[in-house]
Every structure is written in C-alpha cells, then in structure tokens.
Amino acid sequence: MLLAVAGSAVRGQVIQSPGTGATTSPSSSVPTTTGNSRATATPTTQNPAGRGTALPQGTNANNLPANIQQQIQQRAGQAAGQPAGTSGRENSQLPGQSNPNAADAANPNDPNQPTDPNAVETTAKSEEERVREEGRRKVFGYALFNDPTMAKTFQPNLNVATPRNYIIGPGDELNIHLFGYTEANFTQKVSPEGYVYIAGGTGIGPVQLSGLSIEQAKARLVGRMAAKFAGLRNSQYGPQNTYLELSLGEIRSIRVTVTGEAMRPGTYTLSSLSTAMNAIYQAGGPNDIGSYRKVLLIRNSRVVATLDLYDYLLNGIQRNDLRLQDNDNIRFTTFLERVEVAGTVKRNNIFEMLAGETLDRLLFYAGDFAANAYKSRLKVRRVTDRELKVIDVTAPEFKTFVMQDGDLVTVEAILDRFENKITIEGAVYRPGEYSLDNNKTLKKLITTAEGLKGDAFTGRVTIVRTREDLAIESIAVNLDNILAGTEADIPLQREDQVIITSRFDLAEPASVSVKGEVNKPLEVIPYMANMTLNDALLRSGGLKESAAASQVEVVRRKRDADPTSRTAQIAEVFHFNVDRDLSLRVDDNKFLLAPFDEITVRRSPNYLVQTFAGIEGEVMIPGLYPIKSKDQKVSDLIKMAGGLSPFAYVEGATLLRAVTLSEDELLRKKAVIDEVADNTGKTIVEAEVVTPNKLESIDINLKKIMERPGSAEDILVQENDILRIPKLLETVRIQGEVQLPKTVKYRTGQNFQDYIGEAGGFTTKSQRRRAFVVYANGSVDRTRKFMFFNVYPRVEPGAEVIVPRRATNPLTAQQILSSTVGIASSLLTLITTIILITRVK
C-alpha cells in the first residue's frame, strides 16, 4: 500500500565494500563516504524456492514481475529435482499492495522470454527499480530533491554581504580595511592553526581568529591593532579618528557528512556559507524509509537543530536551517507514520505524519479538497494487528480523528447530478437550464424563459420526469387550459424537462421547384403563403432567351384521388403564358402556388444556337465554318472552304465526329468487348479503353461525294464535325506479326504479298487468314477465303497492313486425353479396315 512497506526490503542505500570498513554509494555522482558514515549490509535474498539461483544483494524476489518469478522457480525446481513452479514459500503481499505486472504473467513456452541467467538478473533489477521509483514519486517532497532541472536551486549564494554571525575558520580569506585618519588594506588567510598575520612591518604579530564570529573577530583586531594605530580608540592622544572594517574574501570549503536514511549518504565538500538545506539537497533528501519531519543536525556529538522539511515544502519557512560548520553531521531518521491520500484532493501523495496529527492536518498537507470533492464523509482504510478495516469519518470528526501509520484516506467525488435543475426547450425565447428554487410551477418557468414563441403548440406540452426509482415517465398537459385558468398549474420537480413543440415541427417542410429554361433552376424553394408563379420564376433568376414563355406548366399534387378508379386523375397541370418582364403590374399573373408545386419552363422549338464544323488539310481556306441549314452536307462544307487543293488525296479523307456515350452505353460496350475477348480462343484481342467522350472516324468516299454532290454518299454535317483531307500519300505501313515491321514506298502494281515480302515475310505466329488493311480514310478490308486459298485485300497509298498474332492456349488434361483417345480410335479403325481388305482379297 505504502512506499514504506515496499521499500523495507531494500533499506540500505550504502553497500558495504568487501574487505574494508568503508562504504560506497551506488551512484557515481555521490562522493566516497568515510568510515564515520553509516553502512548497512543487505543480506542476500534467495529465490522463491528457497534454494538454487541466488539473486543480487538487496533484491526482494516477491517484488519481481510474475514472469521473472516463474522462471526462477522453474530453474530452482529443476536444480532440486522437483517440478518447476513449486515453491516452499508463497508470495505474500501486504494489504493495499499490488503487483504492477500481475497481468503480464509469462508463458514458459514463449520464445521471447529471457532464458539467460544474466538477462533474467538484469530484468529483475530494472523492474524492481522501476517499481521502487514509482513508489518514491508518490511520497510528498521526493520530486523536489530529485529533480535534475533544479540542480542549481539549492546552491548557496556567494554574492551576499558578509554575515555578521559567520564563524571564521582556517582557509577563510579576510579583508581588513582601515579608513579615516589612517588608511590601509590587509588581506590575510586564516592559517590552519587559526591565526592571521598583519603584514607590512606593523609588528602586531599573529592574531587568533578561528572560531570567532565576524563581529568578535573585528573587536579582537581592533584591540590588537590599536597598539600600532592609536586612532582606532579614544585615548590620551585624542578621540577615535580611524575605523576598521572586516569582510570575507575567498570563502573556505567545509566537509559535511550525511548519514542515515538518505538517498545518497556520504561526505560532501561544501561552501562555508552553505546551510543544512544545501547539504540535504545534495544528498537527494530522504530515501524510501527516511523521514522528512525529523532531520538531525549534529555538531560536536550534540544535536544542535532538528529540521522539519514540511515547514519549507508547505509554508516556505526555513526554521532551524543553520549555517553548516566543518565536520557537521546531518542524520536522516526513519519515518514514524506515513499516510496516503487518494481521490479528489489537490495533492494525491503519501504524507508523513507526526504522532498525534489529525485528519484535518492531513487535508492541509494534501492542499485541501478539490472543487468536486464530497466533504461530508471520508473513508479511511486502516491496518490493524490482524486485518484491514474501513472507518467512516464525518466532517465534525476531522479535527479529532488521529491518523495512524499505513492509513489510506479516500476522498470521493460529489454525485454527478443536480439537486434543483429543471430544463425547458422548444418554442420559448430562452430555452435552457433553470433553478427549481425560483421556478416551482410550469407557468413560472415559461415566464422566466421570456414566454412562448408565436409558433408554440400549446395544445399538448410534454414534461419528462425522472421518478425516485429512476424510471422516466412522460406527462402531457394542455397548456392552453392552464394559461386560461381552467386547469390548475403543474408543480415541477427536480430534473423535470419541459418540451414545448413548434407548430413547424408538426408539418412537412413545404417547397416548390422550378426547372427547365430558367437561369437558376432550383429544386427546393421554401414555400410561403400567397406565393405566385411570377414570384417563383423571379427566385429562379427569370427566363432564359431560349424559354418558350407560352409553354410554362405548373404540376400540382392531387390529394383527393380515387384509389379504386383505374382512370383517376393523380395530378393537375396548369398552362400559362407568362410575360418575360416579371415586374408587378395590375394585369400580373395572380396564380397562387400550392405546396409541392413543380414549375416547368419549356424550350422554344424554333430556337437554335450557332453551330460550326471544321475542315483541315488540303483545302484552299481551312478552318471553322457555320452550319447554315439543317441539310448542309460535306460537299457544301468543301465549297465554303474554297474547294480542294491540287495535292488533296481524296481517297484518304476522313470525317471525325464527337461521340458522347451515356453511362449505360459505356457499360454495354465494355460488356460486349469483354465477352468477345473471353470467347476468342485463337486470336488475341487488344481492346482500347472505352471513354465517354471521343472523336470517332467515319468512313466516307470523298471521291464519289465530289463526283455527285448531294448523293447518298454525301452525308450531313453535324456540330463540331472535322473533315480531314490529307496530302497525297506515297507510303504503306506494315505492322504486326511480320519479320521486320516497317514503312515502305507505295508502288503501283504491287499487291498484298509483295508488301509482306518487303517486311521480311510472315512469322511462325502470323495468322494470315485474319490479316487486314486499314486505308487512309479509316475504312478496313479483311482477308477472305476462297476454297483453300487466301484472297488478300488491295493495298492503296497511305494504307496500313496489319497481321494479327495467333494465340496459343495451353491444352488442359481433359483436352489432351480427348485428343489421345481420338487418335487411338482413328488408328484402330484404319488397322481394322486394312485387315478386312486383306482378308477379302
């Protein structure tokens, strides 16, 4: 429960050095102690099994993690010939203590657990030190003396005026100043024998100053130096006219020993201006069992002061903080009583109590209650001679209840509820939480909330009430009758919640919509009473230029349709001819809209925007040209461009048209391509990516179009069409499964096979009967089959010859078996036929 219990297993911080009487500190920063320091020899602790592997000195096996204890038990059991895990000694825990690693019990078969004895020993040490450090931090005052950031806080101030009660000792440098009628300066160090020598041929001789205060030393110097400097005193030669001032120059060092229950006991070299608090901080304060309330300053084998560190920690009072002298001894005694405070106080720590101190004093040490603390009763868990017990201490007993060592005081928080809160929400001007003390009834609460809003539904008000058994009930009241006085006012109770519903919450939000040829189509326009058709059109930005003002429709819901009639009217449609000027006039359209009306403004049928088509390549004036009529054709577009140039290759002309596919068309096209690819066993299909917007090439025969304008070959031009007329082409491109794909010159009279020969011929993977030619205008011609011969397409200038690749699919086991059986059957049939023919002959 307390650090005192956990720390008792490793009491000593100074370990006896083997073979000598000196002690050494476990920390390298602590100086070597002398033989006068207290040394505590820590007995060797055996493992839980009582024999076998020995732990390091000062290690309490019961404080080790569960996994380390288990491994030690296993090794001890194996060494003694007994089953691993058995022990002649049980782990005992004092009340209030808990093993921080109890939930991390190790699995003996876990390969991650350390098995090396040195690793187990190191883990045990680090874990025990971690647990011990956590316990130390709970002790009030530990953080102050062991905070590295405060290392310079407790250093003595050397830039101070010379203290008049400072005791001079060997090694101090004294500055002796004479001023007045005679002026002189003497700087002397006190010799190891305690003397100073006044130089300058004064003949004064040595003066014993060691052990004197500054004031006493000054008086002695005046007495000795007056024989040489008569003006230092009133004499027969006249009144005093010379004065002496004594101050410290360099300050000597002193050695102070810290013993007892200190974190870092030992002998320290300090400035002679240091006080007891400086030495206490250098030693790290009390250790696990050291006392903060009784620190002894021993000088010449006599206790000259007792320090209570709580005076400094809590009140800032440095009582008995005497200046140290050489060979002083600061001794930390063990604590008498420690009490822990947990819960809603300002300091959750372990505090050291003096005999007879009460709970009220403990609360002072803990910084008093927190704001949310329950102050009427505290719970004290006390350790008796044989067990634990719980004591309830009420507020009047705080000043008389005496604390005991090992007590654990728990301060609980107040209940998370209100004793007088009521709530109102809904259609009031100031909803929120209110006090029941000032609003006993429903009418008073509504008045305090600044009254009802205009939309309040007063026919039924709900009061949500929490009963004493914490069940929630709903109480409905008619607020109209209460306000009219025909029903009694409703008294309210704690935690009541009054809900006043708005009339708007009881109705579906009404709106109208405007779509079609308006500038800002709106799906939702909040409906307002007396809203007209022109009001809605104005909200949507007015009519577009393309709008048909005479084709405005209002579609209204039918609320009284006959559900039994097959021809029942389910909507009403109103047609209007509106004026584009939506100004309010006497003859304005006064048609009132109803909730959920839908307004549609149609597009004028004879309204068309300008459209253009482009022509590129070998024409006189390429560029964009307007489409003047709906029946404008390709020949008309060429005439507008000034006709063809002399180098125009009409056979290679191509018409590009922008095609926009809907989402459904895209899905269907992709599905068809995937299906064709899956069903193709002997040909590789490389499908292009399907995009919603692309330019597609349309095969046209520009030569026939120019010969017979307006014929069936002369197709209509659409918006954004692009007619490309290339320059006379003189090459042929060969691609695919040929030996050397390349581009060659077109030669009149050469056929398909001649061009394949120029590319090195077919490869072993060529699929000859599926070869095809793509012409310059985008049209395609494929290879045809006539009996056993391939009829290849013709090749023209600008064409592209493509030879596909034959796909090779590996045969499955079933296909191999079927082929083998078929071949075997054919062979047997052939052999049988030959035998029969032989016999017939």
Side-chain angles (χ1 to χ4, degrees):
M1 177 179 70
L2 301 179
L3 180 63
V5 179
S8 62
V10 280
R11 176 171 176 173
Q13 292 298 310
V14 181
I15 302 174
Q16 183 73 34
S17 300
T20 65
T23 56
T24 57
S25 172
S27 173
S28 60
S29 62
V30 179
T32 304
T33 62
T34 64
N36 296 328
S37 302
R38 174 177 175 176
T40 303
T42 306
T44 302
T45 304
Q46 296 297 329
N47 62 342
R51 59 185 180 273
T53 303
L55 295 177
Q57 279 194 335
T59 302
N60 186 354
N62 294 329
N63 292 333
L64 299 181
N67 58 338
I68 303 302
Q69 293 187 28
Q70 186 173 8
Q71 292 183 27
I72 295 174
Q73 291 172 1
Q74 289 175 355
R75 291 206 308 272
Q78 294 170 1
Q82 61 182 8
T86 59
S87 174
R89 169 178 169 189
E90 297 181 355
N91 286 341
S92 60
Q93 281 188 334
L94 292 177
Q97 284 186 318
S98 61
N99 188 349
N101 294 316
D104 299 330
N107 180 3
N109 297 324
D110 188 357
N112 295 325
Q113 296 295 334
T115 56
D116 182 60
N118 294 330
V120 174
E121 180 178 329
T122 303
T123 305
K125 287 183 178 179
S126 60
E127 183 62 24
E128 184 179 5
E129 183 60 30
R130 184 188 65 81
V131 174
R132 185 184 302 169
E133 183 64 22
E134 289 179 358
R136 288 172 183 161
R137 292 188 178 279
K138 294 184 65 177
V139 177
F140 178 68
Y142 171 81
L144 177 68
F145 295 105
N146 293 274
D147 188 353
T149 62
M150 301 176 63
K152 297 183 179 180
T153 304
F154 288 89
Q155 296 296 330
N157 187 4
L158 303 180
N159 298 320
V160 295
T162 302
R164 310 319 296 174
N165 60 349
Y166 177 80
I167 304 301
I168 298 174
D172 281 338
E173 184 181 72
L174 300 180
N175 296 322
I176 304 170
H177 304 279
L178 295 179
F179 61 93
Y181 182 80
T182 303
E183 293 187 358
N185 292 321
F186 302 96
T187 301
Q188 295 291 330
K189 273 193 176 183
V190 180
S191 68
E193 292 78 15
Y195 293 96
V196 294
Y197 297 88
I198 308 300
T202 59
I204 296 174
V207 181
Q208 176 71 33
L209 298 181
S210 179
L212 301 181
S213 67
I214 292 293
E215 291 293 337
Q216 293 170 341
K218 178 179 178 181
R220 179 169 292 185
L221 286 171
V222 169
R224 291 292 301 274
M225 297 179 70
K228 182 67 175 178
F229 303 97
L232 288 172
R233 288 181 177 177
N234 295 322
S235 64
Q236 59 182 350
Y237 301 106
Q240 180 181 3
N241 57 14
T242 303
Y243 304 93
L244 183 145
E245 185 64 35
L246 180 62
S247 64
L248 287 172
E250 292 183 2
I251 302 172
R252 75 182 187 276
S253 297
I254 61 175
R255 292 176 65 82
V256 177
T257 303
V258 180
T259 59
E261 306 302 334
M263 288 294 296
R264 297 184 291 272
T267 299
Y268 294 87
T269 300
L270 304 174
S271 164
S272 58
L273 291 178
S274 300
T275 64
M277 285 297 297
N278 300 131
I280 290 173
Y281 184 81
Q282 292 296 321
N287 64 9
D288 299 354
I289 60 174
S291 174
Y292 285 81
R293 309 301 301 274
K294 190 177 180 181
V295 182
L296 304 180
L297 175 57
I298 302 173
R299 182 174 297 161
N300 298 324
S301 302
R302 185 173 59 89
V303 177
V304 296
T306 301
L307 283 77
D308 187 346
L309 300 184
Y310 275 25
D311 286 341
Y312 176 73
L313 296 175
L314 296 172
N315 304 318
I317 300 174
Q318 292 179 306
R319 185 182 293 114
N320 294 334
D321 187 18
L322 302 182
R323 184 166 286 106
L324 296 175
Q325 296 185 15
D326 199 23
N327 294 323
D328 276 355
N329 183 6
I330 297 177
R331 184 174 178 354
F332 286 89
T333 61
T334 58
F335 71 89
L336 296 178
E337 296 180 2
R338 278 185 179 174
V339 178
E340 183 176 359
V341 181
T344 51
V345 291
K346 295 176 182 176
R347 298 190 190 102
N348 282 268
N349 290 103
I350 298 173
F351 298 92
E352 185 176 344
M353 308 290 291
L354 297 179
E357 287 191 317
T358 61
L359 178 58
D360 184 65
R361 189 64 178 171
L362 176 64
L363 292 175
F364 168 73
Y365 295 156
D368 214 340
F369 293 106
N372 62 334
Y374 177 61
K375 306 174 184 178
S376 298
R377 183 175 63 253
L378 304 183
K379 294 181 180 178
V380 179
R381 188 176 68 179
R382 176 160 292 176
V383 181
T384 65
D385 293 338
R386 56 175 298 181
E387 57 189 357
L388 299 173
K389 73 173 182 179
V390 176
I391 304 174
D392 290 335
V393 184
T394 59
E397 300 173 321
F398 289 174
K399 295 184 178 181
T400 59
F401 186 81
V402 179
M403 306 306 298
Q404 293 184 11
D405 186 29
D407 283 352
L408 172 61
V409 180
T410 303
V411 183
E412 298 179 344
I414 60 174
L415 300 178
D416 188 17
R417 67 174 187 175
F418 293 87
E419 64 180 19
N420 65 340
K421 186 188 76 169
I422 53 177
T423 307
I424 185 170
E425 60 184 59
V428 292
Y429 285 102
R430 292 191 180 276
E433 299 175 351
Y434 291 90
S435 170
L436 178 63
D437 301 335
N438 302 325
N439 303 277
K440 300 290 186 182
T441 63
L442 178 60
K443 287 179 62 176
K444 178 62 177 174
L445 177 61
I446 294 175
T447 303
T448 305
E450 300 292 344
L452 300 171
K453 290 184 178 180
D455 60 331
F457 179 70
T458 56
R460 180 183 291 271
V461 173
T462 303
I463 301 175
V464 179
R465 176 163 295 171
T466 303
R467 298 190 303 209
E468 292 298 329
D469 60 354
L470 300 183
I472 298 177
E473 64 175 337
S474 177
I475 302 174
V477 297
N478 191 326
L479 186 57
D480 285 331
N481 296 340
I482 295 176
L483 296 177
T486 58
E487 290 185 10
D489 199 359
I490 302 297
L492 299 178
Q493 298 181 9
R494 180 174 62 88
E495 298 290 351
D496 275 358
Q497 182 181 3
V498 180
I499 303 174
I500 301 177
T501 306
S502 171
R503 295 181 183 274
F504 297 121
D505 295 337
L506 303 177
E508 181 183 0
S511 63
V512 296
S513 66
V514 180
K515 55 187 177 181
E517 298 301 307
V518 291
N519 291 316
K520 295 186 297 181
L522 297 174
E523 289 292 333
V524 177
I525 299 177
Y527 175 78
M528 296 172 283
N530 299 322
M531 178 184 282
T532 64
L533 174 60
N534 285 1
D535 293 336
L537 294 176
L538 186 64
R539 291 286 298 275
S540 61
L543 303 179
K544 287 184 176 180
E545 184 183 14
S546 59
S550 60
Q551 296 293 327
V552 179
E553 298 177 352
V554 178
V555 182
R556 179 167 296 170
R557 291 180 180 180
K558 194 71 175 177
R559 295 176 175 81
D560 55 355
D562 184 5
T564 62
S565 174
R566 299 180 60 183
T567 60
Q569 185 178 4
I570 59 175
E572 291 183 284
V573 181
F574 302 92
H575 297 274
F576 299 95
N577 185 0
V578 299
D579 191 350
R580 290 182 176 273
D581 185 4
L582 300 177
S583 300
L584 186 64
R585 297 191 301 272
V586 177
D587 58 347
D588 191 12
N589 191 339
K590 297 299 189 298
F591 180 78
L592 297 179
L593 297 177
F596 310 108
D597 280 355
E598 295 191 8
I599 303 168
T600 303
V601 181
R602 303 293 180 185
R603 184 182 180 89
S604 178
N606 57 356
Y607 180 84
L608 294 174
V609 298
Q610 302 92 326
T611 57
F612 296 85
I615 185 169
E616 300 175 353
E618 296 299 317
V619 292
M620 293 301 180
I621 309 175
L624 291 177
Y625 290 91
I627 301 176
K628 298 186 293 184
S629 62
K630 295 181 178 179
D631 61 346
Q632 182 170 318
K633 297 189 176 183
V634 171
S635 59
D636 299 325
L637 184 61
I638 294 177
K639 289 180 182 179
M640 296 174 68
L644 301 173
S645 72
F647 295 98
Y649 182 53
V650 293
E651 289 83 356
T654 304
L655 181 64
L656 300 178
R657 178 161 293 171
V659 177
T660 302
L661 300 179
S662 65
E663 185 176 353
D664 182 63
E665 290 174 327
L666 287 172
L667 293 175
R668 285 191 284 109
K669 186 173 182 179
K670 186 176 184 305
V672 171
I673 293 175
D674 293 342
E675 183 179 358
V676 171
D678 291 341
N679 293 335
T680 302
K682 297 183 178 181
T683 304
I684 297 176
V685 177
E686 296 181 358
E688 63 181 0
V689 179
V690 180
T691 57
N693 300 307
K694 62 176 296 186
L695 289 175
E696 288 191 355
S697 176
I698 300 176
D699 299 340
I700 60 173
N701 193 331
L702 187 58
K703 184 175 182 180
K704 291 183 179 180
I705 291 175
M706 299 305 296
E707 292 174 354
R708 298 179 58 189
S711 62
E713 291 288 342
D714 198 359
I715 65 176
L716 296 175
V717 177
Q718 295 184 10
E719 182 182 4
N720 296 325
D721 280 355
I722 298 176
L723 178 62
R724 289 180 178 171
I725 303 174
K727 194 174 183 179
L728 184 62
L729 300 175
E730 297 180 343
T731 60
V732 175
R733 188 179 181 186
I734 302 110
Q735 291 191 94
E737 285 300 317
V738 293
Q739 297 293 343
L740 181 62
K742 61 189 297 188
T743 300
V744 300
K745 187 179 185 309
Y746 173 79
R747 294 180 178 86
T748 305
Q750 286 190 347
N751 57 19
F752 184 93
Q753 291 179 321
D754 294 332
Y755 290 106
I756 293 296
E758 290 193 35
F762 294 107
T763 67
T764 56
K765 296 182 180 180
S766 300
Q767 196 170 12
R768 303 184 183 187
R769 62 180 180 177
R770 292 190 178 275
F772 60 94
V773 176
V774 180
Y775 297 102
N777 64 349
S779 61
V780 180
D781 194 7
R782 63 181 177 84
T783 301
R784 291 171 175 80
K785 194 78 172 176
F786 178 74
M787 297 182 65
F788 298 103
F789 304 99
N790 292 329
V791 180
Y792 295 108
R794 72 184 187 283
V795 180
E796 295 182 356
E800 185 175 356
V801 178
I802 300 175
V803 180
R805 181 182 181 182
R806 180 185 295 110
T808 56
N809 296 327
L811 297 177
T812 63
Q814 185 177 3
Q815 292 174 335
I816 294 174
L817 180 61
S818 300
S819 301
T820 304
V821 171
I823 294 172
S825 300
S826 301
L827 290 175
L828 289 175
T829 302
L830 178 61
I831 293 171
T832 304
T833 303
I834 294 173
I835 293 174
L836 291 176
I837 293 173
T838 305
R839 288 181 178 180
V840 170
K841 291 181 178 180

